[in-house]
Amino acid sequence: MISSPLSANQVPEKKIRYRYETSGRWYKGSIHLHTVSSDGHLAFDQVVQKYSSEKFDFISVTDHWCLPDLNGNRETLPLLVINGVELDGYDNLGTYYHVLAIGASLKASFLTRNFLKSLRNFYSQGAVLIWAHPHWTGNSIREGMRHKFHGLEIYNHSSQCENGSGYALSHWDGMLNHNPDFLGFATDDSHFQPDQPYWKGGWIMVNTTDCTQQKILEGIHQGNFYATQGPSFNSIEYGENTVKVETSPVTYVRLIGPRRKGQWIHALDKKPVRQTEFELPPDWHYARLEIEDAVGKRAWTNPLWQYE
Ligand SMILES: [Zn+2]
Ligand SMILES: [Zn+2]
């Protein structure tokens, strides 16, 4: 627990605690991908094989309006498959969205023809709702605030490869100014079509004790994960108003806060950085870390403390 990084006039009634607890193992997961059940090119088993051959620990198969039918054979698969689905549709103000719903208790009966009703069903059953590729869809920050999303895709690899619209970091900081618990995810949105071969470009690493649906989903709900294009956070530890990280070799480490606030270190002419410590400014209502390696690949933590 920490006293309060909020100044007196900012949400003083809320207690906060540090988000990261990295004494477990890091599990690698891809949570946005498609199969022949919607607009993907490969069958479920082929997609499972592909991701397990790349040492992914878990995936969530998120076909459009269709939950994967595991036929009770979840235990025999070479990696953990978490139930998921991608919904798209218009809200009552006419704004179009794509949203991922991920959760252990998702059922096909939650899918109604109505987009908002389906979202509400999934939300009430404890699913994680992720605002997908907002730049690609053309959504504004205000549109993201209208619904109960838990987080957003800050990087969608397919949107980036195809349209150059895969990043949503300014959407994220805009959302964090209003909701400092908002989570950031990196995904492939892989389809494996001959003209859409993109994958292994964005994933998440969840720190927990076991690779079970329950533990991974708990870790995601709590934000005890980071999003990455390659670089890794090996440990994230807190001192008295400080955060200390060990990472893969990187060129930049940035502590990013609201609006213009930031601290950074770089190793432009020196050896790559592997260890960094920052002081957590008491007047920022959120702070998140970003690392970048020598070839420009980045990884992002969630906000470093959470609100109750
Ligand atoms: Zn989509
Ligand atoms: Zn998709």
Side-chain angles (χ1 to χ4, degrees):
M1 295 288 287
I2 47 178
S3 51
S4 173
L6 296 172
S7 64
N9 58 359
Q10 293 172 300
V11 236
E13 73 283 4
K14 287 185 179 174
K15 286 193 180 143
I16 48 182
R17 69 179 80 233
Y18 287 134
R19 167 161 273 123
Y20 282 96
E21 208 293 289
T22 58
S23 62
R25 241 202 72 188
W26 292 104
Y27 292 98
K28 181 177 184 180
S30 185
I31 55 155
H32 184 171
L33 52 101
H34 297 277
T35 72
V36 284
S37 295
S38 62
D39 54 351
H41 184 70
L42 298 182
F44 175 85
D45 289 344
Q46 293 172 294
V47 168
V48 165
Q49 284 307 329
K50 266 193 163 317
Y51 278 96
S52 72
S53 73
E54 286 293 324
K55 306 242 175 334
F56 279 78
D57 298 295
F58 67 95
I59 58 171
S60 175
V61 177
T62 50
D63 278 308
H64 298 280
W65 292 95
C66 170
L67 285 159
D69 182 6
L70 298 180
N71 293 322
N73 68 353
R74 193 188 301 276
E75 306 308 320
T76 64
L77 297 171
L79 46 62
L80 172 68
V81 177
I82 296 173
N83 294 338
V85 65
E86 183 170 13
L87 307 175
D88 65 285
Y90 294 87
D91 72 0
N92 40 15
L93 292 179
T95 302
Y96 184 63
Y97 300 86
H98 284 215
V99 181
L100 304 176
I102 291 166
S105 59
L106 301 196
K107 293 195 183 73
S109 60
F110 298 167
L111 290 169
T112 74
R113 280 164 187 248
N114 183 296
F115 169 67
L116 286 182
K117 217 183 215 172
S118 302
L119 277 190
R120 273 195 291 272
N121 287 346
F122 285 121
Y123 185 88
S124 64
Q125 293 299 318
V128 183
L129 296 185
I130 302 165
W131 182 23
H133 46 66
H135 182 184
W136 183 88
T137 312
N139 293 142
S140 67
I141 293 162
R142 193 164 286 278
E143 288 165 348
M145 287 163 57
R146 224 183 265 157
H147 302 286
K148 286 183 172 171
F149 304 134
H150 295 95
L152 83 169
E153 286 183 339
I154 52 173
Y155 181 67
N156 177 302
H157 190 53
S158 290
S159 300
Q160 184 60 25
C161 291
E162 292 177 7
N163 300 88
S165 57
Y167 288 92
L169 292 161
S170 77
H171 285 78
W172 194 20
D173 283 311
M175 291 298 292
L176 287 169
N177 278 322
H178 301 280
N179 174 4
D181 277 335
F182 214 59
L183 304 174
F185 296 82
T187 67
D188 273 346
D189 200 356
S190 50
H191 291 74
F192 298 109
Q193 296 288 356
D195 62 341
Q196 297 174 299
Y198 327 110
W199 70 302
K200 296 184 292 181
W203 61 91
I204 61 170
M205 299 292 289
V206 181
N207 197 289
T208 187
T209 49
D210 295 293
C211 193
T212 60
Q213 279 211 88
Q214 192 200 341
K215 289 286 185 191
I216 295 289
L217 286 164
E218 255 174 39
I220 291 176
H221 264 296
Q222 289 160 2
N224 202 25
F225 69 89
Y226 65 86
T228 183
Q229 299 170 320
S232 56
F233 290 94
N234 301 329
S235 71
I236 302 166
E237 287 172 8
Y238 301 90
E240 181 116 351
N241 292 321
T242 60
V243 63
K244 193 159 130 188
V245 286
E246 284 184 20
T247 64
S248 55
V250 291
T251 306
Y252 296 94
V253 186
R254 307 181 180 104
L255 183 75
I256 296 165
R259 299 194 171 87
R260 303 178 310 282
K261 297 183 190 303
Q263 300 175 30
W264 61 93
I265 61 147
H266 62 80
L268 292 177
D269 306 314
K270 303 174 228 143
K271 277 198 276 181
V273 179
R274 289 167 183 270
Q275 275 194 348
T276 314
E277 187 164 8
F278 286 115
E279 222 157 277
L280 294 170
D283 59 338
W284 296 11
H285 71 279
Y286 76 87
R288 58 181 185 81
L289 285 162
E290 174 179 280
I291 51 178
E292 180 173 334
D293 69 15
V295 294
K297 294 202 176 198
R298 289 193 265 174
W300 304 270
T301 70
N302 283 305
L304 293 171
W305 53 80
Q306 68 188 126
Y307 293 78
E308 287 175 348

